[in-house]
Amino acid sequence: MISYQHITDIYSKTFLVNFDVTFEHIKRKKIAIYGLGSNTHILTRYIKGFSIVGLLDKDKASIGKEINGYPVLSMATISTCVDAIIIVSNDSYWSIIFDRIKAVSEQFNIDVFYQDGSQPIDEVNENNIKNNPYWRVDKELLLERLSSYDIITFDLFDTLVMRKVLRPEDVFSLVEKKLFQLYKKGYEFAEIRKFAATQLDMRVGPIYSFDDIYTILVKDFKFPKGLVYLTQQLEIETELDFLTPREEILGFFNYAKEQGKTVSIVTDMYYGIEIIAQILKNNGIAEYSDIYISCETKKAKKDGVFWKYFSQIYDVNRVLHIGDDFVSDQKYPSHYGIASFAILSGYEMLKISSIKALASQVCTIEDSMLVGVLVSHLFNSPFALAHSEGKFIFRSFKTFGYVCFGPVIYRYLLWLISESKQNKTKEILFFARDGFLLKKFYTQMIDSLNIVDMPEGIYFKTSRRTVTVASIKTKGDIYKLAKLSFSGTLSQFLNKRFGINAQNDDLQNDIEINTKLDGLLINCYLEKYEEAILENSLVERCNYLSYISSLNLQAQKKVVVSDIYLNGTNQYYLSKITGKSYQGYYFCAKMGSENPYDLGEGILGIYQGRDNSLTAKNSHIMKQQLIIEAVLAAPEGMYIRCDESGEFEQAPIAQNQKNYYKKIGIHEGIEEFISDMNSLYDNPFESLVSSDLVDEVLGLFLSKKCIIHTSIKKTLYAEDAFSFVKDVSIWDD
């Protein structure tokens, strides 16, 4: 019998010969190979006659390492010393990888080739997206087709269920991480696991079993025999954790049963009936007529053998098959006279949608988990983009919160919790009013993850109005504060900025001003009110200090503050009032030398943009601050001042507060995202998703690539009683 190792040798030689012939015309050029998979390992070990400068990959952690003597380089490194890039990977990833490197290749005139020798075609054409015929496929059409047949078969993976990772093989990477956590060694499991399946597919076709795969791992890749059972259980456990039903297709599955149709499941899979039965049970799939699994029937859809068999035992004119794979679920059924209804997997929908750029942003397994969770939510329905020309439309408040803001809040809180534990923080002051929901989500995080000895989260009643007025001690402080942004009348400015009322007979009261333009006029106006401002400030400061004292805060180095943006005004003035320093953690911050209050290392931001700017000027989260503030707006008015009894005067509620209960769906979506992510991670602090990816995700979803329904837009306003008088709708429409 031919050995597995011999098959490996044949496979390697075939690949090398084909590569040598395919790329003969660029042998004299300097080449970079994109991909660190098994083919690249073979290529770099045996190929001769090519000038390979180095290897490229999405994983930043690989840069600086060597594979078979070739360095793994960054795109910036090879940009001026490479003539061509060859993408060596599974063909399903070719276009995604090209999207990732397209900008640099065009900038430096570097030719890009796929593994088969073809060159990429720019697929960004908006018309290609809009005119894709799949967008005309909807659930009404499927319902119509179902009514015409009385024997219905369903594919399982990517049809009835889908994974919460971007690609199926990402499950293997997660198993590798678990092995490393257990044994401090990952055994390169993800790579050898994929390669073992490839070998079996070449030898026997898609009818091999789960045990067959592990036999290869032990025999050809020296995987420890004593770890086989444990690793198999880890793989099954991980698969079960990351599978979720596609609810609409499951609805059609149940509808077909209710109509008295014969309903069966057909899957090309290496898992046996016991594991498949558990998958079905976990995802609410029951009471089917029959199930056909390739590893047990020894008949697969992929090569048509199963469909030939099926056509011999059933009247093909009565059968409709529903599945996502072009070859297995459409081409071969059609060949044997069986009607099929094609749906797309979530991943394939992403690749041809207006937000296809999301796939090219994934660089690590953690990124894949994040995007996989988002895709499983966005494209759980294969009809999610029906009649929308490939654009995702946010119609649901919950989905809007889950997809757009869940990742932002989740990643920020992981950072805040990690930093607070490391620095032995005692309390976190969540500054009002953005902190109202942040504190709620913080509590949810630590409860969900069962984290003990966490800092107490305190909703700290404050505002720029509260702390700035209470901080005024000198006339110089008055005029410094007067420079902060405001537009309105002089009397409104005096009241809102300094807390006192103008004299009724002051002829300047109704003059419209802007602090950026009318500094001299404003200063002249304020001169007559200096003493009244100082007297009021003293009263407000004493009352506010009493409130702070009532919180019984720990030593200053044990207290940190949490806020969204940007300069740290509240943090600075709170320090000025109390005489204590605080560490601030923000979504986006002006840090270091760019901070206007000279807070230095006392202010940090997590979403600074890919250029890691001290100003966060290119951060999408910074650019969308008005939307985020409107989403997180508390159901109460701005805090103005504290009285002697400790009670706070608050401004009347504005439009964001009036719409608060309409936005609860957004907040529920954020909570659900946090819950979903926590349920998938054993320890999220060891597997942090890239903050840059989170920033890019928000930028993409709030761009013109998506549509936000008017009902959602109408609930979001820009409000700032400290800087202007009227609420302003964020969207004109």
Side-chain angles (χ1 to χ4, degrees):
M1 180 180 291
I2 190 169
S3 71
Y4 290 131
Q5 188 59 54
H6 186 52
I7 294 171
T8 305
D9 293 341
I10 294 173
Y11 177 77
S12 302
K13 290 174 182 176
T14 302
F15 169 65
L16 293 172
V17 169
N18 288 341
F19 188 92
D20 194 67
V21 172
T22 301
F23 295 105
E24 173 70 28
H25 64 293
I26 61 170
K27 271 192 173 182
R28 295 171 182 261
K29 293 188 175 184
K30 294 179 180 177
I31 299 168
I33 304 297
Y34 195 108
L36 301 183
S38 55
N39 279 0
T40 300
H41 280 262
I42 294 169
L43 182 69
T44 53
R45 185 173 298 172
Y46 299 113
I47 198 72
K48 301 187 184 305
F50 284 84
S51 177
I52 299 177
V53 174
L55 312 177
L56 305 169
D57 192 65
K58 60 183 166 57
D59 188 357
K60 295 177 182 177
S62 298
I63 294 174
K65 297 180 180 178
E66 285 192 356
I67 293 178
N68 298 327
Y70 293 98
V72 181
L73 307 171
S74 67
M75 284 296 294
T77 305
I78 61 96
S79 58
T80 57
C81 63
V82 163
D83 301 313
I85 298 172
I86 302 174
I87 297 172
V88 177
S89 75
N90 186 297
D91 59 2
S92 63
Y93 308 137
W94 288 354
S95 62
I96 291 173
I97 293 172
F98 176 62
D99 285 344
R100 194 177 289 147
I101 65 177
K102 178 185 172 188
V104 173
S105 67
E106 289 180 347
Q107 180 182 356
F108 294 98
N109 197 29
I110 301 172
D111 291 328
V112 178
F113 297 89
Y114 293 142
Q115 186 175 315
D116 67 353
S118 63
Q119 290 193 270
I121 299 173
D122 189 355
E123 299 171 352
V124 181
N125 189 318
E126 291 295 325
N127 288 328
N128 290 345
I129 295 174
K130 289 181 180 180
N131 298 326
N132 193 306
Y134 185 70
W135 309 140
R136 296 191 288 273
V137 176
D138 57 23
K139 54 188 177 183
E140 287 76 18
L141 182 60
L142 176 53
L143 185 62
E144 180 183 327
R145 295 292 303 280
L146 270 176
S147 65
S148 302
Y149 299 88
D150 52 22
I151 300 172
I152 314 296
T153 58
F154 287 84
D155 172 47
L156 180 55
F157 292 91
D158 290 322
T159 298
L160 282 169
V161 298
M162 66 190 303
R163 295 175 178 89
K164 292 183 179 180
V165 284
L166 193 57
R167 297 172 293 262
E169 57 265 36
D170 289 333
V171 169
F172 310 149
S173 297
L174 292 169
V175 173
E176 182 174 317
K177 290 177 72 71
K178 292 179 180 181
L179 285 172
F180 188 84
Q181 290 166 357
L182 288 170
Y183 302 105
K184 304 307 176 188
K185 189 174 181 180
Y187 300 97
E188 297 184 349
F189 177 79
E191 192 62 38
I192 64 175
R193 172 66 175 77
K194 287 185 288 185
F195 197 41
T198 300
Q199 291 188 50
L200 282 166
D201 206 42
M202 290 173 57
R203 179 191 179 202
V204 298
I207 61 171
Y208 53 87
S209 71
F210 197 37
D211 287 337
D212 290 337
I213 294 170
Y214 278 81
T215 298
I216 293 266
L217 294 182
V218 172
K219 184 174 181 180
D220 285 3
F221 297 100
K222 310 306 178 187
F223 189 77
K225 191 172 183 179
L227 292 182
V228 166
Y229 178 76
L230 170 70
T231 310
Q232 284 182 318
Q233 295 309 303
L234 286 176
E235 183 174 339
I236 295 166
E237 171 191 298
T238 306
E239 188 81 83
L240 290 171
D241 286 344
F242 278 83
L243 283 169
T244 188
R246 296 190 86 174
E247 297 292 351
E248 281 192 346
I249 299 300
L250 181 54
F252 282 110
F253 179 89
N254 291 328
Y255 171 78
K257 291 189 302 181
E258 292 166 4
Q259 296 302 306
K261 299 178 186 293
T262 300
V263 179
S264 298
I265 298 169
V266 185
T267 180
D268 282 355
M269 197 52 175
Y270 38 79
Y271 292 142
I273 186 59
E274 290 186 5
I275 301 172
I276 294 294
Q278 188 63 52
I279 289 172
L280 297 177
K281 180 181 178 182
N282 286 8
N283 290 279
I285 303 169
E287 298 177 3
Y288 41 85
S289 299
D290 213 336
I291 182 166
Y292 302 92
I293 308 169
S294 61
C295 72
E296 296 206 342
T297 64
K298 302 305 178 185
K299 297 176 179 64
K301 295 185 298 173
K302 184 178 178 180
D303 57 13
V305 173
F306 171 78
W307 293 117
K308 180 179 180 180
Y309 160 77
F310 198 76
S311 69
Q312 293 170 346
I313 60 175
Y314 284 101
D315 178 358
V316 295
N317 295 316
R318 300 169 58 205
V319 181
L320 175 69
H321 178 66
I322 301 167
D324 70 288
D325 186 83
F326 173 73
V327 175
S328 302
D329 299 314
Q330 297 164 54
K331 177 182 175 181
Y332 278 116
S334 177
H335 179 75
Y336 290 102
I338 296 171
S340 65
F341 189 93
I343 63 169
L344 291 185
S345 69
Y347 181 51
E348 291 300 324
M349 289 178 70
L350 173 65
K351 285 169 59 178
I352 61 172
S353 74
S354 64
I355 55 172
K356 64 190 288 268
L358 186 60
S360 64
Q361 301 291 339
V362 173
C363 293
T364 66
I365 183 58
E366 290 76 28
D367 294 350
S368 175
M369 288 175 67
L370 174 74
V371 175
V373 167
L374 296 178
V375 167
S376 71
H377 193 91
L378 287 169
F379 302 133
N380 185 277
S381 167
F383 314 117
L385 302 181
H387 310 298
S388 70
E389 297 183 331
K391 279 192 174 183
F392 190 85
I393 302 175
F394 287 106
R395 294 185 175 90
S396 158
F397 281 80
K398 191 171 185 178
T399 295
F400 188 57
Y402 188 101
V403 171
C404 295
F405 309 105
V408 175
I409 305 298
Y410 177 77
R411 183 63 180 88
Y412 170 77
L413 289 177
L414 285 179
W415 176 59
L416 178 65
I417 291 169
S418 179
E419 290 287 312
S420 298
K421 282 185 71 70
Q422 183 177 335
N423 298 328
K424 298 181 180 179
T425 300
K426 293 299 182 183
E427 288 115 352
I428 301 174
L429 305 183
F430 290 94
F431 280 170
R433 290 172 292 156
D434 300 328
F436 178 83
L437 286 167
L438 280 182
K439 177 184 177 297
K440 176 183 177 181
F441 297 139
Y442 168 78
T443 302
Q444 177 193 352
M445 281 282 285
I446 59 178
D447 288 347
S448 175
L449 295 171
N450 296 313
I451 306 174
V452 297
D453 299 325
M454 279 304 301
E456 179 185 1
I458 298 172
Y459 182 55
F460 189 73
K461 297 177 180 179
T462 190
S463 69
R464 282 181 294 168
R465 161 64 183 82
T466 305
V467 293
T468 53
V469 173
S471 73
I472 297 172
K473 297 178 181 179
T474 68
K475 292 180 180 180
D477 290 339
I478 295 174
Y479 295 101
K480 182 178 180 180
L481 184 57
K483 294 178 181 180
L484 296 180
S485 177
F486 183 88
S487 59
T489 67
L490 279 169
S491 62
Q492 289 171 335
F493 174 69
L494 186 66
N495 178 265
K496 291 182 178 295
R497 183 56 50 87
F498 298 102
I500 63 172
N501 294 320
Q503 299 167 2
N504 291 332
D505 59 352
D506 193 323
L507 299 178
Q508 294 180 299
N509 283 347
D510 296 328
I511 296 175
E512 294 281 341
I513 56 98
N514 185 306
T515 53
K516 293 181 179 180
L517 303 173
D518 304 310
L520 183 60
L521 172 62
I522 292 168
N523 289 349
C524 291
Y525 180 77
L526 289 176
E527 284 182 4
K528 64 191 95 169
Y529 295 102
E530 288 175 348
E531 293 304 321
I533 290 172
L534 290 171
E535 289 176 9
N536 177 69
S537 174
L538 178 60
V539 172
E540 289 198 24
R541 183 164 58 254
C542 291
N543 292 339
Y544 197 49
L545 283 170
S546 294
Y547 160 70
I548 295 171
S549 178
S550 72
L551 299 177
N552 297 314
L553 301 178
Q554 301 287 331
Q556 65 187 54
K557 67 179 181 179
K558 303 294 184 181
V559 180
V560 303
V561 302
S562 167
D563 209 349
I564 300 180
Y565 306 103
L566 174 70
N567 295 318
T569 302
N570 285 0
Q571 179 182 338
Y572 169 77
Y573 283 105
L574 179 63
S575 293
K576 188 175 178 183
I577 293 169
T578 62
K580 300 176 181 179
S581 297
Y582 303 89
Q583 178 68 55
Y585 294 100
Y586 294 73
F587 283 15
C588 304
K590 285 188 176 178
M591 303 190 302
S593 60
E594 295 292 335
N595 187 266
Y597 299 116
D598 197 27
L599 291 174
E601 295 182 357
I603 183 170
L604 297 171
I606 186 173
Y607 301 121
Q608 297 299 106
R610 287 198 180 271
D611 60 355
N612 201 26
S613 164
L614 292 176
T615 63
K617 62 181 180 180
N618 293 322
S619 164
H620 294 291
I621 290 173
M622 180 65 233
K623 293 173 184 176
Q624 303 294 351
Q625 62 172 302
L626 293 179
I627 298 176
I628 294 176
E629 287 175 344
V631 165
L632 293 179
E636 56 187 5
M638 182 184 76
Y639 287 95
I640 296 176
R641 59 169 69 86
C642 184
D643 63 21
E644 293 179 357
S645 65
E647 297 296 320
F648 277 82
E649 176 188 344
Q650 291 178 260
I653 62 171
Q655 288 298 324
N656 276 324
Q657 287 72 54
K658 292 176 182 177
N659 287 291
Y660 180 83
Y661 291 100
K662 294 181 181 178
K663 294 183 285 188
I664 283 180
I666 299 178
H667 309 149
E668 289 174 345
I670 296 171
E671 288 182 18
E672 186 175 313
F673 178 86
I674 292 172
S675 177
D676 283 352
M677 291 300 287
N678 285 343
S679 70
L680 298 177
Y681 278 111
D682 291 328
N683 184 348
F685 300 100
E686 293 181 355
S687 305
L688 292 174
V689 66
S690 163
S691 58
D692 287 341
L693 174 64
V694 172
D695 185 62
E696 295 288 346
V697 165
L698 184 77
L700 181 63
F701 286 130
L702 295 185
S703 72
K704 293 182 179 180
K705 300 289 185 181
C706 295
I707 299 170
I708 301 170
H709 196 271
T710 303
S711 61
I712 298 174
K713 289 183 175 181
K714 286 183 176 179
T715 66
L716 303 174
Y717 284 80
E719 56 155 294
D720 184 358
F722 186 74
S723 299
F724 51 85
V725 179
K726 295 181 180 180
D727 293 345
V728 179
S729 177
I730 293 173
W731 283 279
D732 293 335
D733 58 346

